[in-house]
Amino acid sequence: MSISDVSNLFTFAGGLGMFLYGMNIMADGMQKTAGGKMKQFLGMLTNNRVMGVVLGALITAIIQSSGATTVMVVGFVSAGIMSLSQAVGVIMGANIGTTITAWIVSMSQLGDAFEAMKPEFYAPLLIGIGALLIVFAKKQGRKQAGEILVGLGLLFVGLDFMSSSIAPYTGSPIFSRAFALLGGNPVLGMLIGLIVTALLQSSSASVGILQTLAMNGIVTTNAAIYITLGQNIGSCVTALISSIGGTRTAKRAACIHLSFNVIGSLIFGAAGLIVFALSPELAHSRITAVQISMFHTVFNLTNTVLLFPFAQQLVKLSGIMVPEKQSEEEDDEETRTLRHLDERIFESPAFALETASSEVVHMGEVTLNNLERAVQTLKSGDTRDIQKICDTEETIDRMEKMLTDYLIKVDNLSLTEHQKLVVANLFYSVSDIERVGDHCENLAELARDMEKENFHFTGQALAELRDMSSVVVEAFRCAVEARKNGNMDVVRRVSQLEDEADNMEEELRERHIERLSSGECSTSAGIVFLDILTNLERISDHAYNLAGYVKDEL
């Protein structure tokens, strides 16, 4: 091997690195730019499979990886956010969306007639402009645009490096013999495509490498077809690996992706055998990068059209591949939260943040129910629920730890400035909700003390307690709703209720001290009553904090 060969090998490795890194940076920038819209995408995931296909294609076009989209789908299904029927449409759309990268790669051949139209011509300028935006731009949106430009530029420079390093060897007999072997053996061709894609964990990257070889005129049509079919099957490996150790439904989602691509590849592979047998000259002709993009797109579109009507049959097939267990116990609140905080969703930071926010709301709802239970125990004097209140408080404590650990991981993802603000506020929200849980337990303990000491409040004290507890419960309910819906009117309502609770606490404290002075109630009952007022007032403070975080984000 000469020094020239070593240089070309290094150039190819460097080109491949720039291509993969450029694709990663571009996808990262696009995800940040579309961050706010990701929440809308998640909200549009309905039982309308056509919409699922569209959303799957859009999300994959943004994150530049059908494997990553499918991993997210596995996470969503595992977390119970999405049903298997909804997942089918998104998986089909992901296969369509992944073709966008192939078209970006083939742009260099679309402009062959004019040198100035080649993307490689503009690539250095794109990198230069992008770098200037990243370094000097003040606004976050412009920095994100810079990341997209740098990524796109590096992608094209990497392709140019790979292409130039292969060019001296295009006439070598080893290439013609290798692709003749792959073209004549469909199973081997598909196997090569599958293995390369599985190793790279990206069908977009493996198709891009195949297109680079095609640009140098060394790939035959039949070999390219079979390798591309294998690449589509190989794209399922990421989701299959991701589903290991997941729930049964998560494994079924990965199996739907696999069966969808395998069935399509078998249909097209059989059709290819017939066409190439009838037209040997087509089989052995050279294929261009543009033609690979066209086949990749036609395959995924046709496969979706063919199998779309059989979506429910694919779901049933996945049930056969991953059978139902004999018994599946219903999840408790803690298990449900743990299942929903699926790290597979980290493939899209925007979705991961939305999931974290939803689970903070869930924690708030669990705490709200416990607050209502504690208040009812105080008002009724029925202490049968006290143990349940204490058990729920322990669950809330564990939920706090799970959510805090999850948010730490989300904070280390690639986030925009606003998303980082939301993560910080979710940290504070989890802490405030946990403190409300502690106050609920305090209220339950005070009810237990009343039962032990066998004393009761006066009718007036009970009426005052009902009034204030109603205000506080409503304040906390509105605070949870504000986090859930991001409604500014609800935020203002929390502020009004908190002011009302503060004023009531002062007024009721003074009235009760007067009752103590006049001997209308016992000292023990008076102390407990004042402790209840303190706990209720602090709960309203935490509700105000929760609403304040939402206001800060809006």
Side-chain angles (χ1 to χ4, degrees):
M1 182 182 286
S2 66
I3 191 69
S4 176
D5 295 330
V6 174
S7 175
N8 287 330
L9 179 63
F10 287 174
T11 302
F12 182 84
L16 178 61
M18 278 191 280
F19 172 73
L20 295 173
Y21 184 59
M23 196 161 65
N24 183 270
I25 292 176
M26 181 175 66
D28 195 38
M30 292 176 77
Q31 277 200 69
K32 287 179 182 176
T33 304
K37 297 182 180 65
M38 287 290 194
K39 182 177 179 179
Q40 297 172 23
F41 287 164
L42 187 59
M44 293 165 69
L45 288 172
T46 65
N47 286 319
N48 185 336
R49 277 199 298 275
V50 175
M51 183 60 71
V53 172
V54 173
L55 291 175
L58 281 172
I59 293 167
T60 305
I62 290 169
I63 65 177
Q64 295 286 294
S65 171
S66 62
T69 302
T70 313
V71 166
M72 278 195 295
V73 168
V74 169
F76 291 148
V77 170
S78 177
I81 299 171
M82 186 190 298
S83 69
L84 283 171
S85 295
Q86 292 169 332
V88 175
V90 180
I91 288 168
M92 291 177 175
N95 280 29
I96 296 171
T98 196
T99 61
I100 192 73
T101 310
W103 283 108
I104 292 173
V105 171
S106 61
M107 281 172 63
S108 59
Q109 287 205 331
L110 290 173
D112 274 348
F114 306 95
E115 185 68 26
M117 288 180 67
K118 287 189 175 184
E120 297 95 310
F121 181 80
Y122 294 105
L125 179 63
L126 294 176
I127 294 171
I129 295 172
L132 289 172
L133 286 173
I134 292 170
V135 174
F136 296 110
K138 301 295 183 185
K139 293 184 178 179
Q140 193 65 26
R142 290 178 182 173
K143 288 182 179 289
Q144 290 158 11
E147 288 181 17
I148 295 171
L149 291 175
V150 168
L152 196 58
L154 283 174
L155 188 150
F156 287 126
V157 170
L159 281 171
D160 191 44
F161 269 44
M162 285 194 290
S163 183
S164 63
S165 66
I166 292 169
Y169 308 103
T170 53
S172 174
I174 189 170
F175 281 107
S176 57
R177 283 199 293 268
F179 282 104
L181 176 64
L182 294 175
N185 190 328
V187 175
L188 185 59
M190 292 170 72
L191 190 61
I192 291 294
L194 190 159
I195 291 170
V196 172
T197 304
L199 290 173
L200 292 176
Q201 294 282 291
S202 170
S203 61
S204 298
S206 61
V207 170
I209 293 170
L210 180 65
Q211 287 178 293
T212 303
L213 295 171
M215 287 175 193
N216 290 278
I218 57 176
V219 183
T220 59
T221 300
N222 54 358
I225 297 299
Y226 298 134
I227 291 172
T228 304
L229 293 176
Q231 287 167 334
N232 278 276
I233 297 173
S235 67
C236 305
V237 171
T238 309
L240 288 169
I241 293 171
S242 170
S243 70
I244 295 171
T247 63
R248 183 183 60 84
T249 48
K251 291 172 183 172
R252 287 180 66 185
C255 287
I256 288 171
H257 188 212
L258 177 65
S259 56
F260 175 72
N261 280 1
V262 168
I263 291 169
S265 297
L266 290 176
I267 292 171
F268 270 78
L273 281 173
I274 296 168
V275 170
F276 295 142
L278 295 173
S279 178
E281 61 277 5
L282 173 64
H284 301 296
S285 63
R286 302 297 172 187
I287 192 169
T288 65
V290 175
Q291 288 169 333
I292 290 175
S293 297
M294 290 173 65
F295 173 74
H296 196 215
T297 304
V298 168
F299 165 74
N300 285 299
L301 283 172
T302 307
N303 197 24
T304 299
V305 171
L306 286 174
L307 296 181
F308 187 81
F310 303 101
Q312 286 304 321
Q313 281 72 21
L314 287 173
V315 173
K316 289 178 182 176
L317 178 61
S318 71
I320 295 170
M321 296 168 76
V322 185
E324 191 92 35
K325 290 182 179 178
Q326 291 296 319
S327 62
E328 289 189 356
E329 296 180 4
E330 189 176 339
D331 291 340
D332 57 22
E333 299 292 358
E334 186 183 347
T335 306
R336 178 189 154 188
T337 297
L338 186 61
R339 184 163 56 85
H340 284 199
L341 299 177
D342 198 308
E343 293 187 12
R344 282 169 283 227
I345 305 173
F346 288 168
E347 294 287 348
S348 172
F351 278 129
L353 181 56
E354 181 59 24
T355 301
S357 182
S358 297
E359 287 310 306
V360 170
V361 170
H362 176 226
M363 181 183 176
E365 290 169 344
V366 171
T367 307
L368 175 62
N369 290 335
N370 216 33
L371 174 60
E372 290 173 337
R373 197 178 292 123
V375 166
Q376 184 57 36
T377 297
L378 281 169
K379 290 190 293 189
S380 67
D382 186 349
T383 57
R384 285 178 296 180
D385 280 342
I386 287 179
Q387 189 55 50
K388 189 172 183 181
I389 293 167
C390 295
D391 290 343
T392 303
E393 162 55 16
E394 290 179 6
T395 298
I396 292 167
D397 286 344
R398 289 192 291 270
M399 290 172 78
E400 179 198 24
K401 184 181 185 308
M402 286 188 287
L403 278 164
T404 301
D405 290 343
Y406 188 81
L407 284 166
I408 289 169
K409 293 172 184 175
V410 172
D411 195 41
N412 288 321
L413 300 177
S414 181
L415 302 172
T416 63
E417 289 301 316
H418 182 262
Q419 287 170 334
K420 282 189 172 292
L421 170 66
V422 174
V423 171
N425 285 343
L426 289 177
F427 272 119
Y428 300 141
S429 297
V430 167
S431 179
D432 275 292
I433 293 170
E434 192 277 330
R435 290 296 299 133
V436 171
D438 289 342
H439 289 302
C440 292
E441 188 175 34
N442 292 346
L443 293 174
E445 291 294 344
L446 290 169
R448 181 178 280 159
D449 290 344
M450 288 177 64
E451 183 189 40
K452 282 182 181 177
E453 300 296 329
N454 194 27
F455 56 76
H456 305 280
F457 296 135
T458 63
Q460 185 183 356
L462 275 173
E464 291 171 349
L465 181 61
R466 287 192 189 97
D467 290 341
M468 183 165 179
S469 62
S470 295
V471 170
V472 170
V473 170
E474 181 61 20
F476 189 67
R477 180 183 290 109
C478 289
V480 174
E481 185 184 338
R483 167 55 62 192
K484 186 176 184 178
N485 300 323
N487 189 320
M488 198 61 195
D489 290 334
V490 180
V491 171
R492 294 190 191 99
R493 175 68 176 150
V494 175
S495 182
Q496 292 167 1
L497 290 166
E498 199 274 334
D499 287 340
E500 190 176 340
D502 283 348
N503 294 333
M504 287 182 76
E505 196 260 351
E506 280 185 38
E507 184 180 344
L508 298 185
R509 187 178 289 275
E510 288 175 5
R511 284 187 198 171
H512 200 67
I513 290 172
E514 288 176 9
R515 285 196 295 272
L516 281 169
S517 300
S518 63
E520 290 180 44
C521 71
S522 67
T523 304
S524 298
I527 293 170
V528 170
F529 187 85
L530 293 175
D531 282 346
I532 291 171
L533 291 183
T534 300
N535 278 280
L536 289 173
E537 192 275 331
R538 286 178 181 171
I539 289 171
S540 72
D541 288 342
H542 290 298
Y544 180 78
N545 291 344
L546 290 169
Y549 305 140
V550 178
K551 180 183 177 182
D552 191 28
E553 294 160 24
L554 295 174

